[in-house]
Amino acid sequence: MKLTGKTSPIKLWEHFDLALRRQTVALGLAEKLTGITCVGAQSSFSGRKRWEERQPEAAYALRKLAESHCQQYSTFNSTIAYTRLTAAEALNGLIDQGFSEEQLLGKSTMAIVLNSMGYRLRKVIKAKPQKKIPETDAIFDNIKTKDLPSNSGRVRRLSLDSKATVKIGNYSRGGRTRGAFIAYDHDMGCKETYIPCGMVDEDSGQLYITFGSSYKTSDLIVDVLEQWWEILAPIEKQRCEVIQIKMDNGSESSGARTQFLKRMVEFCDQTGKSIQLLYYPPYHSKYN
């Protein structure tokens, strides 16, 4: 850059600013082409490190403490976990674990750290469901023990579950679509609903989905079983000796539900086959 002696200070600054911008643009283009990000030495060796880097053990203990009090948002649309743990309670919990006050932060800074870790202070349900009861492992061991092999079709292993009611219409369901579909911006008053009930043959991987128009009841579940048995090939019916069904212990399919047991006995008499019910532990319906 060549400047004459008559160049004013304002013009000099404009030339300097233009040259600086060109250098920055060239640096950005080089980073984009090479995929390498240029980091200045000043940003790497100067400045104060974050508290999580200076106190990694305390940060790990804080995360474990927050996890024990947090609850995921019900729609799972966000990775943010809501917790009832306040900054003051977090500090007291860390002090109880043996961390000194010199290793910890103030209340306001601790709240900022919790937010940066992905935890938000918010009221959650008072009775948080217990995801794992003491008998969970024993129940899974019992299922594994009684899970019979296929034996060339002599045992039909089925997994069955019914889901929540689905509204029929152009409603936004919080998902994504590849087409140019437009959903209603508010509930227009749904008049048609269906209850999906799915069943999987564990050996063949065949999926059966039935939509009921009434309610999520014991009759719906047994109706799905009867429909599956009707479409089964005659040779497969003759070869089958035991029908093994895995399901969750919900209210409509509980082993203590008299209507469900009545329909299952009728289905057993109709098919002439032995039926074995295997129930998953509470809050583990994702396995069926």
Side-chain angles (χ1 to χ4, degrees):
M1 180 175 61
K2 183 177 181 182
L3 301 176
T4 62
K6 297 181 179 179
T7 303
S8 63
I10 297 179
K11 293 291 184 179
L12 179 62
W13 171 252
E14 290 179 353
H15 284 288
F16 177 75
D17 186 46
L18 181 61
L20 182 61
R21 290 179 181 177
R22 288 177 178 174
Q23 182 183 5
T24 305
V25 171
L27 177 62
L29 291 175
E31 289 181 348
K32 185 174 181 60
L33 291 174
T34 60
I36 301 174
T37 304
C38 299
V39 181
Q42 181 179 3
S43 60
S44 301
F45 297 99
S46 64
R48 189 180 183 186
K49 294 183 179 180
R50 301 174 59 184
W51 176 77
E52 297 93 316
E53 299 176 359
R54 291 183 284 110
Q55 301 292 340
E57 295 181 357
Y60 177 78
L62 175 62
R63 189 178 296 276
K64 297 293 288 185
L65 185 62
E67 282 290 336
S68 63
H69 291 79
C70 74
Q71 176 186 348
Q72 183 66 38
Y73 192 57
S74 58
T75 60
F76 295 94
N77 291 334
S78 173
T79 57
I80 296 176
Y82 297 103
T83 179
R84 293 174 291 182
L85 182 69
T86 63
E89 293 174 350
L91 288 173
N92 293 333
L94 293 176
I95 292 175
D96 293 339
Q97 296 184 27
F99 294 98
S100 62
E101 296 184 359
E102 290 76 13
Q103 296 177 277
L104 305 179
L105 303 170
K107 294 181 181 179
S108 59
T109 312
M110 182 61 71
I112 296 175
V113 171
L114 284 171
N115 291 339
S116 64
M117 288 182 174
Y119 303 100
R120 300 291 187 271
L121 178 62
R122 186 174 178 178
K123 290 183 178 180
V124 297
I125 57 177
K126 294 182 179 179
K128 183 179 179 181
Q130 190 176 9
K131 296 301 181 182
K132 185 175 181 180
I133 60 176
E135 297 82 5
T136 298
D137 294 334
I139 295 175
F140 275 111
D141 292 339
N142 181 60
I143 293 176
K144 186 176 180 180
T145 302
K146 295 185 177 180
D147 194 5
L148 302 175
S150 177
N151 290 333
S152 301
R154 291 186 175 87
V155 178
R156 301 306 296 258
R157 302 188 304 164
L158 305 176
S159 181
L160 190 147
D161 191 19
S162 57
K163 297 300 181 182
T165 304
V166 177
K167 294 182 179 180
I168 305 302
N170 297 329
Y171 298 103
S172 175
R173 309 181 194 278
R176 296 182 180 180
T177 178
R178 296 182 180 180
F181 299 101
I182 301 177
Y184 297 141
D185 58 353
H186 62 282
D187 194 341
M188 303 295 292
C190 181
K191 297 181 180 179
E192 187 176 7
T193 58
Y194 286 96
I195 299 92
C197 183
M199 184 174 60
V200 177
D201 190 324
E202 295 184 358
D203 297 313
S204 64
Q206 182 67 39
L207 173 64
Y208 306 89
I209 300 180
T210 304
F211 290 88
S213 58
S214 58
Y215 295 97
K216 183 180 177 182
T217 61
S218 303
D219 294 325
L220 173 63
I221 294 176
V222 182
D223 289 342
V224 171
L225 285 171
E226 291 179 349
Q227 184 181 15
W228 164 79
W229 182 257
E230 290 177 0
I231 64 177
L232 206 62
I235 188 173
E236 294 180 347
K237 292 181 180 179
Q238 295 177 1
R239 190 184 302 123
C240 177
E241 297 178 358
V242 178
I243 301 176
Q244 187 180 82
I245 306 174
K246 298 184 180 72
M247 59 179 60
D248 58 357
N249 199 9
S251 57
E252 67 280 350
S253 59
S254 171
R257 186 66 176 250
T258 55
Q259 178 63 17
F260 176 71
L261 295 178
K262 173 179 177 294
R263 290 295 307 273
M264 289 301 299
V265 171
E266 294 175 352
F267 177 68
C268 183
D269 295 337
Q270 174 188 348
T271 59
K273 310 298 181 182
S274 300
I275 298 179
Q276 184 181 31
L277 300 178
L278 298 179
Y279 289 105
Y280 284 106
Y283 308 107
H284 287 76
S285 61
K286 63 181 181 181
Y287 290 96
N288 64 326

